[in-house]
Amino acid sequence: MKHLNDRTIQSYIDNELPESERKKVEMHLAACPSCRQRVESQRAFSEKTKKSLDTLAPDDLTVPEFSFGRATRPEVHVTRIALISSLATACAIALIVVVVNLLPKPQPKPADFIFDYYTVEDYDANKPFAEQEFAEFKMRTQAEETNTNL
């Protein structure tokens, strides 16, 4: 039989081998001093490890059994949802207002004007009343357009 591997040695130390294989290992250990020395060093290491673990976690330590519980969703507060949706709506409205104000304004074509523009100097008190009313109308229209263009 060839030399024992580490897995077989550990299984032998832990008494995990079937009876037939255990007898083969014991026969090999009786004939092979190298494997016997490896088994003894592994057994000593296992004992030291067990003592260290006993110090860290004593035998009377009880570990509660783990069980999978039902997954639950976290509570969601309705006020938080209302606040977030209101904030999102306000942001959307603000974005629409900004985009609409950034769009280019349509400029009227010269053919769209009915009247020529007149200045204050064109107003003459000596003109007939109808002409004065027409000049006042033109000045009001001009002033309104000037105010809306500002």
Side-chain angles (χ1 to χ4, degrees), residues 1-149:
M1 182 177 195
K2 59 184 179 177
H3 289 291
L4 301 175
N5 60 27
D6 292 336
R7 186 179 205 178
T8 306
I9 292 174
Q10 190 61 47
S11 296
Y12 174 74
I13 293 170
D14 294 338
N15 292 324
E16 296 175 347
L17 292 176
E19 190 63 34
S20 61
E21 199 166 325
R22 183 173 184 74
K23 287 182 180 181
K24 288 180 187 176
V25 169
E26 287 175 350
M27 286 177 29
H28 178 78
L29 290 175
C32 182
S34 171
C35 288
R36 197 172 33 245
Q37 195 270 332
R38 285 178 50 212
V39 166
E40 291 305 318
S41 67
Q42 183 65 29
R43 188 173 278 147
F45 180 76
S46 293
E47 288 298 320
K48 286 180 185 176
T49 305
K50 186 175 185 224
K51 285 179 184 176
S52 298
L53 289 176
D54 286 342
T55 304
L56 295 174
D59 288 336
D60 61 344
L61 179 70
T62 56
V63 178
E65 185 177 324
F66 179 79
S67 65
F68 288 100
R70 269 190 91 201
T72 58
R73 294 179 67 179
E75 290 184 30
V76 179
H77 298 285
V78 176
T79 55
R80 183 181 295 171
I81 293 173
L83 176 67
I84 291 171
S85 63
S86 299
L87 185 61
T89 304
C91 289
I93 291 171
L95 182 65
I96 290 170
V97 168
V98 168
V99 168
V100 166
N101 284 332
L102 290 178
L103 292 174
K105 308 283 186 285
Q107 297 296 325
K109 299 176 201 153
D112 291 343
F113 295 113
I114 299 172
F115 306 110
D116 293 328
Y117 288 101
Y118 288 91
T119 61
V120 177
E121 290 82 25
D122 293 333
Y123 182 76
D124 186 5
N126 294 325
K127 289 183 182 178
F129 185 72
E131 289 182 22
Q132 288 180 25
E133 272 188 341
F134 185 65
E136 288 174 5
F137 170 75
K138 286 182 182 177
M139 285 192 298
R140 275 194 309 263
T141 307
Q142 182 180 8
E144 288 173 1
E145 288 183 357
T146 304
N147 289 340
T148 57
N149 288 338

